[in-house]
Amino acid sequence: MGVFFLCIPSGDGQSESSPFLTPDSDGEHYYEGKNMALFEEEMDSNPMVSSFLNKLANYTNLTQGVREHEEAEDGVRRMTVMVPLMGTFIGVYLPCMQNILGVILFLRLTWIVGTAGILGSFAIVSMCCICTLLTAISMSAIATNGVVPAGGSYYMISRSLGPEFGGAVGLCFYLGTTFAGSLYILGIIEILLTYIIPTATLFEEDAAMLNNMRVYGTCCLVLMALVVFVGVKYVNKLALVFLACVILSIMATYAGVIKTIIEPPEFNVCLLGNRSLKNEKFDTCAKTEVVKNLTVTTELWSLFCDSKYSNTTCDEYFTLNNLTEIQAIPGLLSGVIKGALHDHLGIIDHSIMAGSNRSGDLKDAQKSIPIGTIMAILTTSFIYISFVVLFGACIEGVVLRDKFGYSVKKIPVIGILAWPSPWVIVIGSFFSCCGAGLQSLTGAPRLLQAIARDGIIPFLQVSVTGVLYQPSPSASGLSQVFGHGKANGEPTWALLLTVGICEIGILIASVDNVAPILSMFFLMCYLFVNLACAVQTLLGTPNWRPRFKFYHWSLSFLGMSLCLSLMFICSWYYALVAIVIAGCIYKYIEYKGAVKEWGDGIRGLSLNAARYALIRLEEAPPHTKNWRPQLMVLCKMNSDLLVKHPRLLSLTTQLKAGKGLTIVCSVLDGTYMTRANDNLKTAMAVEKTKGFSHVVVSSNLRNAFSLLIQSAGLGGMKHNAVLMAWPADWKLALGSLARRNFIETVRETTSANQAMLVAKNIDRFPSNQERLKDGNIDVWWIVHDGGLLMLLPFLLKQHKVWKKCTMRIFTVAQMDDNSIQMKKDLQMFLYQLRLDAEVEVVEMHDSDISAFTYEKTLMMEQRSQMLKQMHLSRTEREREIQSITDVSRGSIKRKKQSAVHAPPLNIMCIPEEEVSMSNVRRMHTAVKLNEVVVKKSKNSELVLLNMPGPPKNKKGDENYMEFLEVLMEGLDRVLLVRGGGREVVTIYS
């Protein structure tokens, strides 16, 4: 169990403000750039020792933004910044060291070695060190690929993997940093109540120790929060003290190891059997002792027996085992290492690795960040691994397993090894925890502030009163509640939220239970740092030019795998919770977050995947099994550039059930130079239609529509159906253009083998938010269109709007047909198609519908023949049906062949002198068919009808429009469907 910190500097070495002063009245200050040489010359003239001491005196491990707040607290907004003078050692190496070496090293590493043995601990620590090193390599590549401002790892992940990943991991990293504050505070209280002032406990029982931790921890949290709120400059001034405590504690430990070679310390441990005893209430490790030639019981006897007399009742384990006294620290040359290798190998519940976000202000960030971070990790890895070996080689295993040092008079086990005094470790670890806790409470609110200022998570922008802030451009996002604070920019609300979350960790009241929580969040952050580097490397985008060259995508993937493995090794249920939290935040940002374009790798990956798929996608018609409506929606826009019929977009979403291609098109009158910025994105966003918008500006609207039908799409990803609204104004004087455009569109889609869908009364169609509780979707199957009429209701019923509607199929039979048998055959056909629908056969005279079937499609006779052939055996029937549908599929070539070899069709080839007579017959068909449709489907929610094609002779266009108008008269919602000449349903799987 433990926490192993990785330092991720987030500064690019430059403040948002200029590091050089503008000249004032006395002319003593320097211009930016102009007198830079003078500035550098002055710096070079300083003695090296003096310069180093000056840097060390101004050492801080706080972020750049924290220091800016500190300067503002003085009441004078100074522009000078000292931090860019920092180099690799002061700016990166020392802050990383300070945060990696902390509470776990001093309070828990000895217990880990005692529990897992040297080999087990070595394996655990090595795996964590390798994981951390690989993450540092990935981070170095990202950090040196351009400027990394405030936000650190959050900034790197969000700009590399997009706002969704960035926001999710950023919040998880914020939670990890916040719980790290809880861990350090609990470490402070544990050191205080166990080793410094054990008499200060409010609750005496052993079980009540958790309550002591909660009470004192809450008080400590409030005190630290006040220090951070009042002024982080006080934290800054103590940074060097905290760093010195850590260094002195480590040096004292190594010195103690060396001393054990010369003279092991006099610390003895009393064992009862193989168990160590708390030695705070007795001095003699014996059951009895001789006093004045009399054998008397010792203080230890009274702890396990009812009285001090030898014949009293004692604890059974005490009676059966002997007392022995051993040396706690035999020394490096004692050979105790042989027994500590693997005798007590066990499973460790928690990872020894987590991370923290630190930023430095550097003269050359792209050089200092990789070198400083990697060197710090190598140094601390050596310290951790060497401590594992030295603890096992110097200290008895039974003492190592004493987590709180009760067997050595309540001294930390590492403390009895330290030289010259255990108090070096006690005081050092106490101040180390204080510094790290203050830094967590200082850094976490600023991380949340950076996320809030990006504006990708809506709930972070809601004020306390529930009103969404609308920051002005000059406010720079500071009016967002978690980006807003004191006049100097101190994130007050973010600090309060951090304190509240930190209190949750305090209430857990256990270092061992809090450590895996923050480890999960940090490991997830590391996982995505590795993922970001791997994605960017594999994409090879032109902008990926990191100055750090010692990286490879395979190392990043290995680091990512180790992070994921450590999460589940550490605690599988915490790992699942962290993944679920990150996933929920990701989907929330994706659904409601602000649209951000940061040129991230995920979008680049999507682009590469799309390009690869488009190249592999053949332009040939898709197989029947893969066919789905790929819609091109023809919209009209009014003078305000709003879609005239927004429900057309709703119907598009419902027809596709959220899948398939959608291209929303419109033609604007004018020139491209004047209307280039007009688009349909707003309308699509309102109707939640996922697809592409395409606006063409042209002075010739007819040619523009023709161009769209021919050229929309890319490669094999093209539309196969056109959806438009019925031109209700075609009868008006100004409607001639609409009528001509409509009919020509029908002709062009037919020539392009594309399906045509025309919605009448589109404004009465339900929106995506409505729910039809019942009702019918009626399909009038008059001519075979490849099955499109049957497929569309099925797709509509997949959407929540139409889900509860019932599908009904009506077909028309001639008088000489067997209507009963036709109904059975049609039911069987629908069964083979796996479609649930009610079937009804309507008988009509051949003369009443003949004009409806004048086009070159599969006619009524062919459809009847297909149904009659279902009387064959099941195997033969399925083969025959599929052969018929396969013949009717597809390409123009097959259609021509079918037209040559098909039986004579009842096509109306009308000479010009007989146009009036044909119009009468066509209108008669419309009237008769409309009477039947209205009688059966007047109250239906939607009626789907075959749409016959327009006549070849353009003089009959107006009569064709009248024919369709009469056909739909008296029906509320109608969808005219004209197939594309290919089969779209199949009976086979």
Coordinates of all heavy atoms in Angstrom, one line a residue, residues 8-13 92 135-149 152 155-156 160 362 364-374 529 533 543-551:
I8 N 4.4 16.2 -12.7 CA 4.2 16.6 -14.1 C 4.2 18.1 -14.2 O 3.2 18.8 -13.9 CB 2.8 16.1 -14.7 CG1 2.8 14.6 -14.6 CG2 2.6 16.5 -16.1 CD1 1.6 13.9 -15.1
P9 N 5.3 18.8 -14.5 CA 5.3 20.2 -14.6 C 4.4 20.7 -15.7 O 4.4 20.0 -16.8 CB 6.8 20.5 -14.9 CG 7.5 19.3 -14.5 CD 6.6 18.2 -14.8
S10 N 3.7 21.7 -15.5 CA 2.7 22.2 -16.5 C 3.1 23.5 -17.1 O 2.4 24.1 -17.9 CB 1.3 22.3 -15.9 OG 1.3 23.2 -14.9
G11 N 4.1 24.2 -16.6 CA 4.5 25.5 -17.1 C 5.3 25.4 -18.3 O 6.1 24.5 -18.5
D12 N 5.2 26.4 -19.1 CA 6.1 26.4 -20.3 C 7.3 27.3 -20.1 O 8.0 27.6 -21.0 CB 5.3 26.9 -21.5 CG 4.9 28.3 -21.3 OD1 4.7 28.8 -20.2 OD2 4.7 29.0 -22.4
G13 N 7.4 27.8 -18.9 CA 8.5 28.7 -18.6 C 8.3 30.1 -18.8 O 9.1 31.0 -18.6
V92 N 12.4 22.1 -11.5 CA 11.8 20.8 -11.8 C 12.2 19.7 -10.8 O 11.4 19.1 -10.2 CB 12.0 20.4 -13.2 CG1 11.3 19.1 -13.5 CG2 11.5 21.5 -14.2
T135 N 5.5 6.8 -18.1 CA 4.5 8.0 -18.2 C 5.3 9.3 -18.3 O 4.9 10.2 -19.0 CB 3.6 8.0 -16.9 OG1 3.0 6.7 -16.8 CG2 2.6 9.1 -17.0
A136 N 6.4 9.4 -17.6 CA 7.2 10.6 -17.6 C 7.8 10.8 -19.0 O 7.9 11.9 -19.5 CB 8.4 10.5 -16.6
I137 N 8.2 9.7 -19.7 CA 8.7 9.8 -21.0 C 7.6 10.3 -22.0 O 7.8 11.2 -22.8 CB 9.2 8.4 -21.5 CG1 10.5 8.0 -20.7 CG2 9.5 8.4 -23.0 CD1 11.0 6.6 -21.0
S138 N 6.4 9.7 -21.9 CA 5.3 10.2 -22.7 C 5.0 11.6 -22.4 O 4.7 12.4 -23.3 CB 4.0 9.3 -22.4 OG 4.3 7.9 -22.8
M139 N 4.9 12.0 -21.1 CA 4.7 13.3 -20.7 C 5.7 14.3 -21.3 O 5.4 15.4 -21.7 CB 4.6 13.4 -19.2 CG 4.3 14.8 -18.7 SD 5.7 15.8 -18.4 CE 6.6 14.8 -17.2
S140 N 7.0 13.9 -21.3 CA 8.0 14.8 -21.8 C 7.8 15.0 -23.2 O 8.1 16.2 -23.7 CB 9.4 14.1 -21.5 OG 9.6 13.9 -20.1
A141 N 7.4 14.0 -24.0 CA 7.2 14.2 -25.4 C 6.1 15.2 -25.7 O 6.2 16.1 -26.5 CB 6.9 12.9 -26.1
I142 N 5.0 15.1 -24.9 CA 3.8 16.0 -25.1 C 4.2 17.4 -24.6 O 3.9 18.4 -25.2 CB 2.6 15.5 -24.3 CG1 2.2 14.1 -24.8 CG2 1.4 16.4 -24.4 CD1 1.1 13.4 -24.0
A143 N 4.9 17.5 -23.4 CA 5.2 18.8 -22.9 C 6.2 19.6 -23.7 O 6.2 20.8 -23.7 CB 5.8 18.6 -21.5
T144 N 7.0 18.9 -24.5 CA 8.0 19.6 -25.4 C 7.4 19.8 -26.8 O 8.2 20.2 -27.7 CB 9.3 18.8 -25.5 OG1 9.0 17.5 -26.0 CG2 9.9 18.7 -24.1
N145 N 6.2 19.4 -27.0 CA 5.6 19.7 -28.3 C 4.7 21.0 -28.3 O 3.5 21.0 -28.6 CB 4.7 18.5 -28.7 CG 4.2 18.6 -30.1 OD1 5.0 18.7 -31.1 ND2 2.9 18.5 -30.3
G146 N 5.4 22.0 -27.9 CA 4.7 23.3 -27.9 C 4.5 23.8 -26.4 O 5.0 23.2 -25.5
V147 N 3.8 24.9 -26.3 CA 3.6 25.6 -25.0 C 2.6 24.9 -24.2 O 1.5 24.5 -24.7 CB 3.2 27.0 -25.3 CG1 2.9 27.7 -23.9 CG2 4.3 27.8 -26.0
V148 N 2.9 24.6 -22.9 CA 2.0 24.0 -22.0 C 1.7 25.0 -20.9 O 2.5 25.1 -19.9 CB 2.5 22.7 -21.4 CG1 1.5 22.1 -20.5 CG2 2.9 21.7 -22.5
P149 N 0.6 25.8 -20.9 CA 0.3 26.8 -19.9 C -0.3 26.1 -18.7 O -0.2 24.9 -18.5 CB -0.7 27.7 -20.6 CG -1.4 26.8 -21.6 CD -0.4 25.8 -22.1
G152 N -1.4 22.0 -16.6 CA -0.5 20.8 -16.5 C -1.0 19.6 -17.3 O -1.3 19.7 -18.5
Y155 N -4.2 20.0 -19.3 CA -4.1 20.7 -20.5 C -3.5 19.8 -21.6 O -4.0 19.8 -22.7 CB -3.1 21.9 -20.3 CG -2.9 22.8 -21.6 CD1 -3.8 23.8 -21.9 CD2 -1.9 22.5 -22.5 CE1 -3.6 24.6 -23.0 CE2 -1.8 23.2 -23.7 CZ -2.6 24.3 -23.9 OH -2.5 25.0 -25.0
M156 N -2.5 19.0 -21.2 CA -1.9 18.1 -22.2 C -2.9 17.1 -22.7 O -2.9 16.8 -23.9 CB -0.6 17.5 -21.6 CG 0.5 18.4 -21.4 SD 2.0 17.5 -20.8 CE 1.5 17.0 -19.2
S160 N -4.6 16.9 -26.5 CA -4.1 15.8 -27.3 C -5.3 14.8 -27.6 O -5.3 14.2 -28.6 CB -3.0 15.0 -26.5 OG -1.9 15.9 -26.3
L362 N 10.4 28.2 -15.8 CA 11.8 27.9 -16.2 C 12.3 28.7 -17.3 O 11.5 29.3 -18.1 CB 11.8 26.4 -16.7 CG 11.0 25.4 -15.8 CD1 10.8 24.1 -16.5 CD2 11.7 25.2 -14.5
D364 N 14.2 27.5 -19.8 CA 14.0 26.6 -20.9 C 13.1 25.4 -20.5 O 13.7 24.4 -20.2 CB 15.3 26.2 -21.5 CG 15.2 25.5 -22.8 OD1 14.0 25.2 -23.3 OD2 16.2 25.2 -23.5
A365 N 11.8 25.6 -20.6 CA 10.9 24.5 -20.1 C 11.1 23.3 -20.9 O 11.0 22.2 -20.4 CB 9.5 25.0 -20.2
Q366 N 11.2 23.4 -22.2 CA 11.3 22.2 -23.1 C 12.6 21.4 -22.9 O 12.6 20.2 -23.2 CB 11.2 22.6 -24.5 CG 9.8 23.3 -24.8 CD 9.5 23.3 -26.3 OE1 10.2 22.7 -27.1 NE2 8.4 23.9 -26.6
K367 N 13.5 22.0 -22.2 CA 14.7 21.2 -21.9 C 14.7 20.8 -20.4 O 15.0 19.6 -20.1 CB 16.0 22.1 -22.0 CG 17.3 21.5 -21.6 CD 18.4 22.4 -21.7 CE 19.7 21.8 -21.2 NZ 20.9 22.8 -21.3
S368 N 14.2 21.6 -19.5 CA 14.2 21.3 -18.1 C 13.1 20.3 -17.7 O 13.4 19.5 -16.8 CB 13.9 22.6 -17.3 OG 15.0 23.5 -17.5
I369 N 11.9 20.3 -18.3 CA 10.9 19.4 -17.9 C 11.3 18.0 -18.1 O 11.2 17.2 -17.1 CB 9.6 19.8 -18.6 CG1 9.0 21.1 -18.1 CG2 8.5 18.7 -18.4 CD1 7.7 21.6 -18.8
P370 N 11.7 17.5 -19.3 CA 12.1 16.1 -19.4 C 13.2 15.7 -18.5 O 13.2 14.7 -17.8 CB 12.4 16.0 -20.9 CG 11.8 17.2 -21.6 CD 11.8 18.3 -20.5
I371 N 14.3 16.5 -18.5 CA 15.5 16.1 -17.8 C 15.2 16.1 -16.3 O 15.5 15.2 -15.6 CB 16.7 17.1 -18.1 CG1 17.1 17.0 -19.6 CG2 17.8 16.9 -17.2 CD1 18.1 18.0 -20.0
G372 N 14.6 17.2 -15.8 CA 14.3 17.3 -14.4 C 13.3 16.2 -13.9 O 13.6 15.6 -12.8
T373 N 12.3 16.0 -14.6 CA 11.3 15.0 -14.2 C 11.9 13.6 -14.2 O 11.7 12.8 -13.3 CB 10.1 15.0 -15.1 OG1 9.5 16.4 -15.1 CG2 9.0 14.1 -14.6
I374 N 12.5 13.2 -15.3 CA 13.1 11.9 -15.4 C 14.2 11.6 -14.4 O 14.3 10.6 -13.8 CB 13.6 11.6 -16.9 CG1 12.4 11.6 -17.8 CG2 14.3 10.3 -17.0 CD1 12.7 11.5 -19.3
V529 N -2.3 10.1 -20.3 CA -1.0 10.7 -20.8 C -0.3 9.8 -21.8 O 0.1 10.2 -22.8 CB -0.1 11.1 -19.6 CG1 1.3 11.5 -20.1 CG2 -0.7 12.2 -18.8
C533 N 0.2 10.3 -26.0 CA 1.4 10.3 -26.7 C 1.4 9.2 -27.8 O 1.9 9.4 -28.9 CB 2.6 10.0 -25.7 SG 4.2 9.9 -26.4
N543 N 1.9 18.6 -36.9 CA 2.2 19.4 -35.7 C 2.9 18.7 -34.6 O 3.3 19.3 -33.6 CB 0.9 20.0 -35.2 CG 1.1 21.1 -34.2 OD1 1.8 22.1 -34.4 ND2 0.5 20.9 -33.0
W544 N 3.0 17.4 -34.7 CA 3.6 16.5 -33.7 C 5.2 16.6 -33.9 O 5.7 15.8 -34.6 CB 3.1 15.1 -33.8 CG 3.7 14.2 -32.7 CD1 4.5 13.1 -33.0 CD2 3.6 14.2 -31.3 NE1 4.8 12.5 -31.8 CE2 4.3 13.1 -30.8 CE3 2.9 15.1 -30.4 CZ2 4.4 12.9 -29.4 CZ3 3.0 14.9 -29.1 CH2 3.7 13.8 -28.6
R545 N 5.8 17.5 -33.3 CA 7.2 17.8 -33.4 C 7.9 18.0 -32.0 O 8.5 19.0 -31.8 CB 7.5 19.0 -34.3 CG 6.8 18.9 -35.7 CD 7.2 20.1 -36.5 NE 6.9 21.4 -35.9 CZ 5.7 21.9 -36.1 NH1 4.7 21.4 -36.8 NH2 5.4 23.1 -35.5
P546 N 7.8 17.0 -31.1 CA 8.4 17.2 -29.8 C 9.9 17.3 -29.8 O 10.6 16.6 -30.6 CB 7.9 16.0 -29.0 CG 7.7 15.0 -30.1 CD 7.2 15.7 -31.3
R547 N 10.4 18.2 -29.0 CA 11.9 18.3 -28.9 C 12.5 17.1 -28.2 O 13.7 16.8 -28.4 CB 12.3 19.6 -28.2 CG 11.9 20.9 -29.0 CD 12.5 22.1 -28.3 NE 12.2 23.3 -29.0 CZ 12.9 23.8 -30.0 NH1 14.0 23.1 -30.4 NH2 12.6 24.9 -30.7
F548 N 11.7 16.5 -27.3 CA 12.2 15.3 -26.6 C 12.1 14.1 -27.6 O 11.0 13.8 -28.0 CB 11.4 15.1 -25.4 CG 11.8 13.9 -24.6 CD1 12.9 13.9 -23.7 CD2 11.1 12.7 -24.6 CE1 13.3 12.8 -23.0 CE2 11.5 11.6 -23.9 CZ 12.6 11.7 -23.1
K549 N 13.2 13.5 -27.9 CA 13.2 12.5 -29.0 C 13.2 11.0 -28.5 O 13.0 10.1 -29.2 CB 14.4 12.7 -29.9 CG 14.5 14.1 -30.5 CD 13.3 14.3 -31.4 CE 13.4 15.7 -32.1 NZ 12.2 16.0 -32.9
F550 N 13.4 10.9 -27.2 CA 13.6 9.5 -26.6 C 12.3 8.9 -26.2 O 12.0 8.6 -25.0 CB 14.6 9.5 -25.5 CG 15.9 10.1 -25.8 CD1 16.2 11.5 -25.5 CD2 16.8 9.4 -26.6 CE1 17.4 12.0 -25.8 CE2 18.0 10.0 -26.9 CZ 18.3 11.3 -26.6
Y551 N 11.4 8.8 -27.2 CA 10.0 8.2 -26.9 C 9.7 7.3 -28.0 O 10.3 7.3 -29.1 CB 9.0 9.3 -26.7 CG 8.7 10.0 -28.0 CD1 7.6 9.6 -28.8 CD2 9.4 11.1 -28.4 CE1 7.3 10.3 -30.0 CE2 9.2 11.7 -29.6 CZ 8.1 11.3 -30.4 OH 7.8 12.0 -31.6

